[in-house]
Amino acid sequence: MKVLVATPKFRYDTFAPDTPAFRAAELIFCDRRGTEADWLAAAGDAEAIFVSPITPIRESLISRMPNLKLIHSEGVGFDLIDLETARKRGIYVCNNAGCNAGPVAEQAVMMMTMLLRRTLWGHRMVLEGRQGEAVPALERNVPEDLASSTVGLVGFGTIGRATAERLRVNGSKLCYWSPHRRDPATEAAFDMEYLSLHQLAERSHIVSLHIPANRETEGLIGRDFFSHMRPGSYLVNTARGGLIDNEALGEALRSGRLAGAAFDNYVPEPVPADHPLVLLAREFPDRILLCPHQAGITQTAFRNVYRMLFENLGELMAGRRPQRIVNGL
């Protein structure tokens, strides 16, 4: 089975499992920054596409690949794939839900801790030879820690649950909002309270985003949400950049409603030097933490990614439905 792969070959050399599906696949590696014409010339007859979550797969490509049966995100995100065009053609779109849950949860908790402990500010103070001033300043305005904080999770899927597990160990009080409320047994297992989105904003010292980007969630964290956040609270986004209204974020920072924020996802990517969040980080260097979309780049996550990819390719080769279909087929 021919597969158009729009991600680097070295990942497959390092992490792909030695399985029958991997050995049977004809992998055609294309530059992910290449044009659709380049891809079609190299593998227009491919039956599958493996693609990074930050690479668009549009109708203009799908419609010119007559043999296509599967489009597979290498990660969890799939919002840049034309789901409806694929559905109409009977093409499965799948993701690797859960592949990076632990690593992304670790990243989210790390970012929370850095914001609470004012790590960016402390780093700058030491670099400037002002460490002697830093400790007294902290003692005059003692920061919260995870044990004294209420953390509100927006979304409670696999990554949200992994984050909750790590926060419980630290003693955080937890609440969540999700478009679909979880069952009472799950809430009890995590000692987790379900709240409306506004209630969550009002109660949380930290709000952490763990929800997919789609038409319903685009700009979900905007002026209305920020107006309900408790003064001096924090925002962490390891989900998708499109969830946040960046203009409203800037207003919340300047007003003091938001004490700081940390990000590992952006729209667009790669991030240009004049991106609104980059400009905000320059304006508030001690309060904005920008990471390069690194949360899922770990040994564990990559091993999971390529195991799941080739499990699904094997299902397709055997004439069976793949797992983790996201476009309703």
Side-chain angles (χ1 to χ4, degrees), residues 72-78 95-105 157-162 166 296 298 300-305 307-308 324 326:
H72 209 306
S73 169
E74 286 194 352
V76 177
F78 52 87
N95 74 343
N96 286 328
C99 67
N100 57 6
V104 175
T158 307
I159 295 174
R161 294 185 188 200
R166 287 154 176 79
T298 72
T300 297
F302 271 40
R303 283 193 292 270
N304 287 338
V305 162
R307 172 182 56 80
M308 295 164 89
R324 302 175 300 280
V326 297

Side-chain angles (χ1 to χ4, degrees), residues 1 19-22 24-25 50 70 72 307-322:
M1 180 173 285
T19 62
F22 173 69
F50 291 168
L70 171 69
H72 209 306
R307 172 182 56 80
M308 295 164 89
L309 278 177
F310 286 101
E311 283 176 352
N312 261 355
L313 193 66
E315 294 297 306
L316 197 68
M317 289 175 172
R320 296 188 291 265
R321 284 171 57 84

Side-chain angles (χ1 to χ4, degrees), residues 239-288:
R240 282 291 176 264
L243 299 172
I244 299 174
D245 178 337
N246 291 327
E247 184 177 344
L249 172 74
E251 294 170 2
L253 282 162
R254 295 184 188 100
S255 71
R257 171 73 64 173
L258 198 62
F263 304 89
D264 193 46
N265 289 273
Y266 312 90
V267 174
E269 291 192 33
V271 179
D274 61 350
H275 189 281
L277 293 180
V278 174
L279 299 179
L280 278 174
R282 292 174 183 157
E283 185 179 350
F284 300 101
D286 295 341
R287 298 169 58 190
I288 299 289

Side-chain angles (χ1 to χ4, degrees), residues 88-170:
K88 289 178 179 177
R89 283 269 314 273
I91 298 166
Y92 296 115
V93 178
C94 299
N95 74 343
N96 286 328
C99 67
N100 57 6
V104 175
E106 289 178 10
Q107 178 89 6
V109 174
M110 178 198 76
M111 293 161 87
M112 293 176 201
T113 304
M114 290 183 71
L115 290 173
L116 288 172
R117 301 294 185 89
R118 300 176 62 190
T119 303
L120 293 171
W121 170 83
H123 178 71
R124 179 177 60 80
M125 292 292 280
V126 174
L127 288 181
E128 294 175 359
R130 301 170 61 192
Q131 186 259 338
E133 299 174 42
V135 172
L138 288 171
E139 290 175 339
R140 288 191 297 271
N141 186 18
V142 178
E144 300 280 355
D145 53 32
L146 289 174
S148 63
S149 296
T150 296
V151 181
L153 304 179
V154 177
F156 198 51
T158 307
I159 295 174
R161 294 185 188 200
T163 305
E165 288 172 353
R166 287 154 176 79
L167 289 168
R168 287 180 64 218
V169 172
N170 285 284

Side-chain angles (χ1 to χ4, degrees), residues 175-209:
C175 57
Y176 82 103
W177 173 85
S178 174
H180 306 288
R181 184 172 181 176
R182 305 308 176 195
D183 60 87
T186 299
E187 293 180 0
F190 287 90
D191 194 18
M192 176 81 73
E193 183 178 8
Y194 179 81
L195 300 174
S196 72
L197 201 56
H198 286 170
Q199 289 173 326
L200 180 145
E202 291 164 357
R203 196 174 300 183
S204 301
H205 297 91
I206 304 166
V207 173
S208 187
L209 307 184

